[in-house]
Amino acid sequence: MLKISKSRLGELFDAVAAKQTLYIPTDREPGAAEYKKYESGMELTKELNTVRSAKDFFFPQTENLADFRIDGKNIEVRDIREECGDFVVFGVRACDARSFTILDKVFLCEPVDSFYKNRRDHGTVVTMACSRPAETCFCQTFGIDPTSPEGDAACFDDGESIFFKANTEKGQAFIDSIASLLEEGDTAKLDEVNAKTKEIMAKLPLAKLSTGNFGGDKLNEYFNSDKWAELSEACLGCGTCTFVCPTCQCYDIRDFNTGHGIKRFRCWDSCMYSDFTKMAHGNPRLTQLERFRQRFMHKLVYFPANNNGEFGCVGCGRCLAKCPISMNIVKVMKALEEK
Amino acid sequence: MQVNENFEPVIVAFCCNWCSYAGADLSGTNRLNYPTNVKIIRVPCSCRVNPMFILRAFQKGADGVIICGCHPGDCHYTSGNYFTRRRITLLYSMLDFLGIERNRTRLEWVSAAEGAKFAATMEQFTADVKALGPNRRLEDLRCRKQ
Amino acid sequence: MNNDTLIPKIGVVTDIRQDTPDVKTFRVVAPEGGKVFEHMPGQCAMLSMPGVGEAMFSITSSPTNKEFMEFSIKKCGCLTEWLHAMEVGQQITIRGPYGNAFPVEGDLKGKDLLFIAGGIGLAPLRSVINYVRDNRANYGDVQVIYGSRSKDDLVDYKEIIDEWMADPNIRVDLTIDNPQEGWDGHVGFVPNYVKELAPSTSKTVLVCGPPIMIKFTLAGLKELGFTETQVYTTMELRMKCGVGKCGRCNIGNKYVCKDGPVFRFDQLGELPDEY
Amino acid sequence: MQEAMIKRAKELLADGSVDRVIGWKRGEFAYDITPAVFTSAEELEHDFVFDDFTAANVSKYLVKETAKEGKILAFLKPCDTYSFNQLIKEHRIDREKVYVVGIPGGPKLDIEKIKAKGITGVLSVKNEDYTLKIETLYGEETMPFSEAVLDKCASCKSKKHVAYDELIGEDGDVLESNRFDMVEKLENMTAQERFDFWRGQLSKCIRCNACRNVCPACTCENCVFDNPKSGIDNKAAADSFEENMFHIIRAFHVAGRCTDCGECSRVCPQHIPLHLLNRKFIKDINELYGEYQAGADTTSRAPLTDYTKDDCEPSVVHERGVE
Amino acid sequence: MQRIGVFVCHCGTNIAATVDVKAVAEALGHEPGVVISQDYQYMCSESGQELVKSAIREQKLTGVVICSCSPRMHENTFRKAAASAGLNPYLVEIANIREQCSWIHKDIATATDKAIILGKAAVAKVHLNTPLSSMESPVVKRALVIGGGIAGIQTALDIAEAGFDVDIVEKQPTIGGKMAQIDKTFPTLDCAACILTPKMVEASQNEHITIHSFSEVADVKGFVGNFTVKIKKKARYVDETKCTGCGLCTEKCPMKKVPNEFNMGLDNRSAVYIPFAQAVPKVATIDPNYCMMLRSGKCGVCSKVCSAGAIDYKQQDTFIEQKYGAIVVATGFNPINLDKYDEFAYNQCPDVVTSLELERLMNAAGPNGGTLLRPSDKSHPHTIVFVQCVGSRCDDEKGKPYCSKICCMYTAKHAMLIREKYPDTEVYVFYIDVRTPGKNFDEFYRRAVEQYNVHYIKGMVGKVTPKSDGKIDVQASDLLANEQLHIDADMVVLAAAIEPDKTARPLATMLTTQMDTNDFFTEAHPKLRPVESATAGIFLSGACQGPKDIPETVAQGSAAAAKAIGLLCKNSITCNPCVAHSDELMCNGCSSCEKVCPYGAITYIDKEFRMPDRTTKVRRVASVNPAVCQGCGACTVACPSGAMDLSGFSNSQIMAEVDAICK
């Protein structure tokens, strides 16, 4: 496998950044990493993962859809879309890499979301295998192997070097573009690291968590479960879980009057918000119970029902870490299974 | 800071109907000149000015916001301007804490008889804001004129 | 870059008709004339006034109308109030068509049809009725049962009287909730009227109206011997994207904007009760 | 303490004094504790927890809970009682429907601080004589208790319960806290430094609304930011709305009402020190209008709904310190 | 869609000289919703108004913007014009392009730009204007006067004179107040009783006046034109309707050792008493603290001697409830308590008295029958020292920061009367300043000094020490001579500061009126509305508003009456429609708004809401009384949820203006 010594990673980043925009996860403050546009000297975080997921690159929190100018009774629609520049997201973990597959199912199905596709076409996802999973990790529940992440190209860290493997043509092109910096390396140590990671994976507190009891056919079983009341009781109705979630993709479309035109923008929305489904004459999801249920039913039942059994969760553990009241999909799954 | 001679700041002035708005009228009646940058919004009392309005003005591109009310003790509604004083003091203090230039915000007491003070205050305030240059720290980029 | 469904087109309002005190029907054409896009009966479009709001409305005109689209809109919120206040010549934005349609070229073909509508619920059915009228040979008996609070609340009253009632090939039964001067027709709620009329169970039913009316009508139809597979309705929930991506109009795993708005009652029965 | 609380809760449930108990429920890990309502002795036995991680302030839940039938037992830490009082003052909680048991306060631990030390894969956390023994997937780690204390507890203002029907354990005193140190430090910076600091912090905001939704002072029926009629509704983290409007207006709306419970910063997924905004208002109020602690009682007039004729002019802002 | 008309006024050349009015009209014509935009020489002229009116009719306008002079000038003119053309007057907005534009700017280009922006702001605002209609609220044709001193009596008499029913509530058994205790009045030296008692009698005999003596206001609800007041009639154990005021009971009452408050405790009265001979109503009152029958059930003498059978030991406090259209507060004043003034030995020495006590000592109906004798030994005082400003103009905790206003004059009066009657008595007056503004006041004072040789000494009295020989040592400084003095005095008279009656504070709370830090009622405007409180329908009479002498008090009493009559004359009040209103769906009942309302216009109601899930929920929500609200808007900012908004100046309207200006 091709590899580069970790000490030369900076050179590699510089080389990539010279050709296209490069984003890497870096430390923002102790214990909190975020993706940042690479600038020379910037270091890769040692954190397992970023606070915000990598979905932002393809589905940003807010984006302009169109501009309007109004003159008397006339409206002018301005298509402000531009071809996105090529970019590389480096260091994406296996869970987040899988989330793109899930987002693709939503945004790339007909009618294709051109805003998403534009970025997806121009972005290269370079993933990084995990070696120190956290207690909140449960990607294996969803059949993800963190030692062998998806993405256009995958990287592996054996402690001394980073190894590269292409999963797609785009990934191969990426590796080719940095080939001059890479050398052939021995993966013996890497295999050891991976074996060790797998050992840890088996010992994770959530290792036993299974999706066996969930899926598209479980609608009636769970929709009317009496667990929802108890589970949703403490929910604040904030959007933390949805906003840190790599697979949540609900959005809102709003207009903003700039004083000299209207900007129509799309922004993340959360099904946990009380006004998410509110209409002028009623709301089908009146209480937090219904909204809470929607989020988890969507991930565990509705999404698999529409997508050949694929779940709307990748087990990244962000909601476990970030929910202000520590309510999360794991607790929901366990409670629902209790019956 | 370098003063851009061509920079014409947008200044929003909230004036209470009973004192300051009348004071502004008086400065007009007396033909006391002050810069055209100042645009007055009439409110019944300075206590009607919600901090929201001030932030909104800055968001939409105002470079300075000044609130004018009756002198303490002379409020048409007896106590309105006392509440204004506390609210606006705290708001301005907060804006300062957030690093917003102090000279962009001001509260002045102008009575109906103080036409000259009104004009002088606006003159000074406009000069102060002009010296600061355009409001960049509180503006919403989406609202910036292209 | 390809057109994106989220980027709307311009529609010009060329005619505004006050149907009832709170319903107006708007005629919309493309700026260059003609329809902005083609649709099938039952489908919807997103209308918007930038800066005011955007919402989904069913297209009430029939696809057989080649000149314009019509929308019957009830005043009930910010955007609809704005639309009601606008004048002829106003431009709005429009995107669509969205959702499925009544299976006029599928299951409904050759069938005896019974349309049951209440109030503004006529809007989506009007599209089908006129489509059927224009392709009369493809369908069996056609009956329309339509009711409203009062005579003044009957949407498209003029068209009903002048065209539908004058059409020997369809039967129209009207009713209003309470007696009213100048009304010598039937008085009573739609579900009861349906039971009274006891239409043949061989018909396929298309029902639309307020939820409570739909509920009782369905119960009445079942009493008469209809099965859920014979009855279609059309739904309305909060929508933003219109293409099943924004995530708010789902009932279970079905998105009203994409998988609906037309559902057969047996399909709806499989979905959770959250609408 | 946990045992005493469970015992007392069971007694009060058994004798019919209360119908429900609000407290904290054990989670999957050592630290992921959820506020929960308990209705039976079994549930209490099984799930009730009170330990170094039960930091959540349950006062705000009482708004919802006291709107229901029956009486609820609430275990309130000293800081929570301030929020409780403030909510009583604003008529948001029906006092008759709550039985308050005062329980000792923190300091509570912040799992994020433990993780920030690079300690990952946390399986258990034990406090042994103020040294944390942390069992992880990667072996045992230790760290001083004091370094893992939640920010809000590190600058605790009071160990005194200002409202309770009974106490378990001793009542404490109002403390001389150092809670304004950071505010002061910022005040002493230049305007540019302050701007850079806050721009850096607030631009992290993802507008999840956790700070607002957890805040015991934010109990509006419909928040202005959600209400299209307010004219300043804004849902998304769009441009500089969060930096320039949301957090300032929110802080202003709770000024004089914020008890400084620190929940806003605790729940912020982006670690924005939002409490500093509230503290700035508190500090200003104390300095300009006299010491005032929201929630210390249920009757006093809040500083922003009060005035004296001799209040200072806003020019004090313009005249003090460096710009 | 709005149909807005814009009308730009030239105001001759006043506007047109510096603002290109045609350009303004042209520019504003392109604003959304504007269907007509015109300019005209004089918009306010008959033909200018006609232009507006016909446009309203022909163009079916839904809003009008006039770009002209200040709204303070012609807003009403254009509102009326709009109304006459069938448009709600509150759908008119004025853009002030004269006072705030053309008159202050010289450059036509920039002034025109500014005028356009001001016009745009007005257009933006008028888009959001809603038709407002003034509420009519009926007026109850009855007034309440709280306090039966000279202020209250004068007010009541004037109101009654105008033909309205008026009730006086007096906490003492008789009306008359402080003036009844005074001997002579300055500067005329006529007898106070001689001029007061006829008024008291007049009040008691006026068919429009009802006197509730020995009564207090217990509760006030309602608002201008429609107050509901609960009056507590304290048990006096004597049936007012039966008592003839013969006074036999007071003579026969065996309990005679009750300090007589009318004489400032300088002598005693019986347990059943009539405060003074001319009391109105002249009805006995039993003092339950001293009556042996009420205390121990043993006695009953009064009951036995009363031929009218008026004594009723079982009488209880009763409450009556009455509706009023207007309330006049006339709660008056009291001298401050001098317990803390040990330096003047007030509590140690009976011959150190207050001025009001001196009034009684000199009064023919007083304890000594009008002969001035020392309270201690009933001897004739030969040296009397008056100390001014005792507790007035004080910075410390003990006293009051204000000038009590009346002391200088009454001391001059006292000094003069003493010197007149007892020429052998030396009178010293220690003063800080002598303040004599008022008609014939300074002449009066100069007479005291020049004609009566009263020794006025500018200086402070440091210490008053009773001596063993019965004399009083007064240690003072003479600031003009710059020397320390010791005067051996027989009596010392302290001009105690006056303060509002203690009942005023709780009353102000009930009435939701404002008070200053000294507990004087605050007038609606210190110059222009001196007899109205800020709360509509509540008027102020006499010393409850600030220290006053009798002529001023009477003047203010009449002024308050005039204001009250003005209100009572109306059948209903037209309320300003630009008032606050609370959106009950958003209000969470937190009470912030109520706290900042200067008028008490906000109350809380428990309202039942139908929830979307068809359950109901009772919530506490704010409710604004539009008849009381004056529209300041303080509540709208105090309200965090935005539930409280102000008609005519709504949040959205102001923000629209902001947006238009910043655009």
Short mmCIF file of all heavy atoms in Angstrom, two decimals, chain A residues 233, chain D residues 9 13 19-26 34-49 72-73 75:
data_model
loop_
_atom_site.label_atom_id
_atom_site.label_comp_id
_atom_site.label_asym_id
_atom_site.label_seq_id
_atom_site.Cartn_x
_atom_site.Cartn_y
_atom_site.Cartn_z
N GLU A 233 -40.27 12.70 27.65
CA GLU A 233 -40.66 13.57 28.76
C GLU A 233 -39.69 14.72 29.01
O GLU A 233 -40.09 15.86 29.21
CB GLU A 233 -40.75 12.71 30.01
CG GLU A 233 -41.43 13.38 31.17
CD GLU A 233 -41.93 12.32 32.12
OE1 GLU A 233 -41.16 11.39 32.42
OE2 GLU A 233 -43.09 12.42 32.55
N ALA D 9 -38.26 10.06 49.03
CA ALA D 9 -39.20 10.11 47.92
C ALA D 9 -40.22 8.97 48.04
O ALA D 9 -41.41 9.16 47.82
CB ALA D 9 -38.46 10.00 46.59
N LEU D 13 -44.20 9.43 48.43
CA LEU D 13 -45.10 8.79 47.46
C LEU D 13 -46.08 7.89 48.19
O LEU D 13 -47.28 7.89 47.92
CB LEU D 13 -44.30 7.96 46.46
CG LEU D 13 -43.76 8.62 45.20
CD1 LEU D 13 -42.97 7.59 44.39
CD2 LEU D 13 -44.88 9.20 44.34
N ASP D 19 -47.55 12.83 44.13
CA ASP D 19 -47.94 11.81 43.15
C ASP D 19 -46.79 11.43 42.24
O ASP D 19 -46.78 10.37 41.65
CB ASP D 19 -49.08 12.34 42.28
CG ASP D 19 -50.24 12.79 43.14
OD1 ASP D 19 -50.97 11.92 43.59
OD2 ASP D 19 -50.35 14.01 43.36
N ARG D 20 -45.84 12.37 42.11
CA ARG D 20 -44.73 12.13 41.20
C ARG D 20 -43.47 12.70 41.81
O ARG D 20 -43.53 13.56 42.69
CB ARG D 20 -44.98 12.78 39.83
CG ARG D 20 -46.27 12.41 39.16
CD ARG D 20 -46.41 13.00 37.76
NE ARG D 20 -46.34 14.45 37.70
CZ ARG D 20 -47.32 15.26 38.04
NH1 ARG D 20 -48.45 14.79 38.50
NH2 ARG D 20 -47.18 16.57 37.92
N VAL D 21 -42.35 12.26 41.30
CA VAL D 21 -41.07 12.76 41.78
C VAL D 21 -40.25 13.16 40.56
O VAL D 21 -40.14 12.38 39.61
CB VAL D 21 -40.30 11.66 42.55
CG1 VAL D 21 -38.95 12.19 43.02
CG2 VAL D 21 -41.13 11.13 43.71
N ILE D 22 -39.70 14.35 40.59
CA ILE D 22 -38.80 14.69 39.48
C ILE D 22 -37.37 14.67 39.99
O ILE D 22 -37.07 15.21 41.05
CB ILE D 22 -39.17 16.01 38.78
CG1 ILE D 22 -38.29 16.21 37.54
CG2 ILE D 22 -39.06 17.21 39.71
CD1 ILE D 22 -38.86 17.15 36.53
N GLY D 23 -36.55 13.97 39.24
CA GLY D 23 -35.15 13.83 39.64
C GLY D 23 -34.33 13.45 38.41
O GLY D 23 -34.58 13.96 37.32
N TRP D 24 -33.40 12.55 38.60
CA TRP D 24 -32.50 12.21 37.51
C TRP D 24 -32.47 10.70 37.33
O TRP D 24 -32.53 9.94 38.29
CB TRP D 24 -31.09 12.72 37.82
CG TRP D 24 -31.07 14.21 38.02
CD1 TRP D 24 -30.82 15.14 37.08
CD2 TRP D 24 -31.29 14.91 39.25
NE1 TRP D 24 -30.88 16.40 37.64
CE2 TRP D 24 -31.16 16.29 38.96
CE3 TRP D 24 -31.60 14.54 40.56
CZ2 TRP D 24 -31.33 17.28 39.94
CZ3 TRP D 24 -31.76 15.52 41.53
CH2 TRP D 24 -31.62 16.87 41.22
N LYS D 25 -32.31 10.31 36.09
CA LYS D 25 -32.36 8.89 35.78
C LYS D 25 -31.01 8.44 35.23
O LYS D 25 -30.41 9.12 34.40
CB LYS D 25 -33.46 8.68 34.73
CG LYS D 25 -33.72 7.25 34.39
CD LYS D 25 -34.90 7.17 33.44
CE LYS D 25 -35.08 5.74 32.96
NZ LYS D 25 -36.29 5.59 32.18
N ARG D 26 -30.60 7.29 35.68
CA ARG D 26 -29.35 6.68 35.25
C ARG D 26 -29.33 6.45 33.74
O ARG D 26 -30.36 6.21 33.14
CB ARG D 26 -29.29 5.32 35.93
CG ARG D 26 -27.96 4.71 36.14
CD ARG D 26 -28.12 3.37 36.87
NE ARG D 26 -28.87 3.46 38.13
CZ ARG D 26 -28.36 3.94 39.28
NH1 ARG D 26 -27.14 4.38 39.30
NH2 ARG D 26 -29.08 4.00 40.37
N THR D 34 -30.35 11.65 32.65
CA THR D 34 -31.51 12.35 32.07
C THR D 34 -32.46 12.76 33.19
O THR D 34 -32.79 11.94 34.04
CB THR D 34 -32.24 11.40 31.11
OG1 THR D 34 -31.32 10.92 30.15
CG2 THR D 34 -33.38 12.09 30.41
N PRO D 35 -32.92 13.99 33.16
CA PRO D 35 -33.97 14.37 34.10
C PRO D 35 -35.20 13.49 33.85
O PRO D 35 -35.52 13.20 32.70
CB PRO D 35 -34.27 15.83 33.76
CG PRO D 35 -33.06 16.31 33.04
CD PRO D 35 -32.52 15.13 32.31
N ALA D 36 -35.84 13.05 34.90
CA ALA D 36 -36.96 12.13 34.69
C ALA D 36 -37.97 12.27 35.80
O ALA D 36 -37.66 12.69 36.91
CB ALA D 36 -36.45 10.69 34.62
N VAL D 37 -39.19 11.86 35.48
CA VAL D 37 -40.26 11.86 36.46
C VAL D 37 -40.51 10.41 36.87
O VAL D 37 -40.61 9.53 36.02
CB VAL D 37 -41.54 12.49 35.87
CG1 VAL D 37 -42.70 12.36 36.85
CG2 VAL D 37 -41.30 13.94 35.52
N PHE D 38 -40.57 10.19 38.17
CA PHE D 38 -40.77 8.85 38.70
C PHE D 38 -42.13 8.79 39.38
O PHE D 38 -42.54 9.75 40.02
CB PHE D 38 -39.69 8.53 39.73
CG PHE D 38 -38.29 8.61 39.19
CD1 PHE D 38 -37.64 9.84 39.12
CD2 PHE D 38 -37.63 7.48 38.74
CE1 PHE D 38 -36.35 9.93 38.62
CE2 PHE D 38 -36.33 7.56 38.24
CZ PHE D 38 -35.69 8.79 38.18
N THR D 39 -42.79 7.67 39.20
CA THR D 39 -44.10 7.58 39.84
C THR D 39 -44.20 6.41 40.81
O THR D 39 -45.21 6.25 41.47
CB THR D 39 -45.21 7.43 38.79
OG1 THR D 39 -44.84 6.38 37.90
CG2 THR D 39 -45.42 8.72 38.01
N SER D 40 -43.17 5.58 40.87
CA SER D 40 -43.29 4.43 41.78
C SER D 40 -41.98 4.16 42.49
O SER D 40 -40.90 4.59 42.04
CB SER D 40 -43.68 3.18 40.98
OG SER D 40 -42.60 2.77 40.17
N ALA D 41 -42.09 3.47 43.59
CA ALA D 41 -40.92 3.09 44.38
C ALA D 41 -39.97 2.25 43.55
O ALA D 41 -38.75 2.40 43.62
CB ALA D 41 -41.36 2.34 45.64
N GLU D 42 -40.54 1.39 42.71
CA GLU D 42 -39.71 0.50 41.90
C GLU D 42 -38.83 1.32 40.95
O GLU D 42 -37.64 1.08 40.83
CB GLU D 42 -40.58 -0.47 41.08
CG GLU D 42 -41.41 -1.45 41.88
CD GLU D 42 -42.55 -0.79 42.64
OE1 GLU D 42 -43.28 0.03 42.04
OE2 GLU D 42 -42.69 -1.06 43.85
N GLU D 43 -39.49 2.28 40.28
CA GLU D 43 -38.73 3.11 39.36
C GLU D 43 -37.61 3.84 40.08
O GLU D 43 -36.50 3.95 39.59
CB GLU D 43 -39.65 4.16 38.70
CG GLU D 43 -40.56 3.61 37.65
CD GLU D 43 -41.56 4.67 37.16
OE1 GLU D 43 -41.45 5.84 37.57
OE2 GLU D 43 -42.44 4.31 36.40
N LEU D 44 -37.94 4.34 41.26
CA LEU D 44 -36.94 5.08 42.02
C LEU D 44 -35.77 4.17 42.37
O LEU D 44 -34.60 4.52 42.17
CB LEU D 44 -37.55 5.62 43.31
CG LEU D 44 -38.48 6.84 43.14
CD1 LEU D 44 -39.31 7.03 44.39
CD2 LEU D 44 -37.67 8.09 42.85
N GLU D 45 -36.08 3.00 42.87
CA GLU D 45 -35.06 2.03 43.25
C GLU D 45 -34.15 1.72 42.06
O GLU D 45 -32.94 1.65 42.17
CB GLU D 45 -35.73 0.70 43.67
CG GLU D 45 -36.36 0.71 45.02
CD GLU D 45 -35.33 0.66 46.14
OE1 GLU D 45 -34.13 0.50 45.81
OE2 GLU D 45 -35.71 0.78 47.31
N HIS D 46 -34.81 1.54 40.94
CA HIS D 46 -34.10 1.04 39.78
C HIS D 46 -33.28 2.11 39.07
O HIS D 46 -32.14 1.89 38.67
CB HIS D 46 -35.13 0.43 38.82
CG HIS D 46 -34.50 -0.38 37.74
ND1 HIS D 46 -34.48 0.05 36.44
CD2 HIS D 46 -33.86 -1.56 37.77
CE1 HIS D 46 -33.85 -0.85 35.70
NE2 HIS D 46 -33.47 -1.83 36.48
N ASP D 47 -33.87 3.29 38.91
CA ASP D 47 -33.28 4.27 38.00
C ASP D 47 -32.81 5.57 38.63
O ASP D 47 -32.04 6.30 38.02
CB ASP D 47 -34.31 4.64 36.92
CG ASP D 47 -34.55 3.50 35.95
OD1 ASP D 47 -33.60 2.74 35.72
OD2 ASP D 47 -35.67 3.38 35.45
N PHE D 48 -33.34 5.89 39.81
CA PHE D 48 -33.03 7.21 40.36
C PHE D 48 -31.54 7.32 40.68
O PHE D 48 -30.95 6.42 41.24
CB PHE D 48 -33.84 7.46 41.63
CG PHE D 48 -33.69 8.86 42.16
CD1 PHE D 48 -34.60 9.85 41.82
CD2 PHE D 48 -32.62 9.21 43.00
CE1 PHE D 48 -34.46 11.15 42.30
CE2 PHE D 48 -32.47 10.49 43.47
CZ PHE D 48 -33.39 11.47 43.12
N VAL D 49 -30.98 8.45 40.30
CA VAL D 49 -29.56 8.61 40.58
C VAL D 49 -29.30 10.03 41.05
O VAL D 49 -29.98 10.99 40.64
CB VAL D 49 -28.72 8.26 39.32
CG1 VAL D 49 -29.07 9.16 38.16
CG2 VAL D 49 -27.22 8.35 39.60
N ILE D 72 -46.10 17.23 42.82
CA ILE D 72 -44.83 16.62 42.43
C ILE D 72 -43.76 16.97 43.43
O ILE D 72 -43.71 18.08 43.96
CB ILE D 72 -44.43 17.05 40.99
CG1 ILE D 72 -43.21 16.26 40.51
CG2 ILE D 72 -44.16 18.54 40.90
CD1 ILE D 72 -43.05 16.23 39.01
N LEU D 73 -42.93 15.98 43.73
CA LEU D 73 -41.78 16.21 44.59
C LEU D 73 -40.60 16.61 43.70
O LEU D 73 -40.29 15.91 42.74
CB LEU D 73 -41.45 14.94 45.37
CG LEU D 73 -40.06 14.81 45.99
CD1 LEU D 73 -39.82 15.92 47.01
CD2 LEU D 73 -39.90 13.46 46.65
N PHE D 75 -36.58 17.54 43.73
CA PHE D 75 -35.30 17.64 44.43
C PHE D 75 -34.53 18.79 43.82
O PHE D 75 -34.18 18.75 42.64
CB PHE D 75 -34.50 16.34 44.27
CG PHE D 75 -35.04 15.20 45.08
CD1 PHE D 75 -35.61 14.10 44.47
CD2 PHE D 75 -34.96 15.25 46.47
CE1 PHE D 75 -36.10 13.05 45.22
CE2 PHE D 75 -35.46 14.17 47.23
CZ PHE D 75 -36.03 13.09 46.61
#
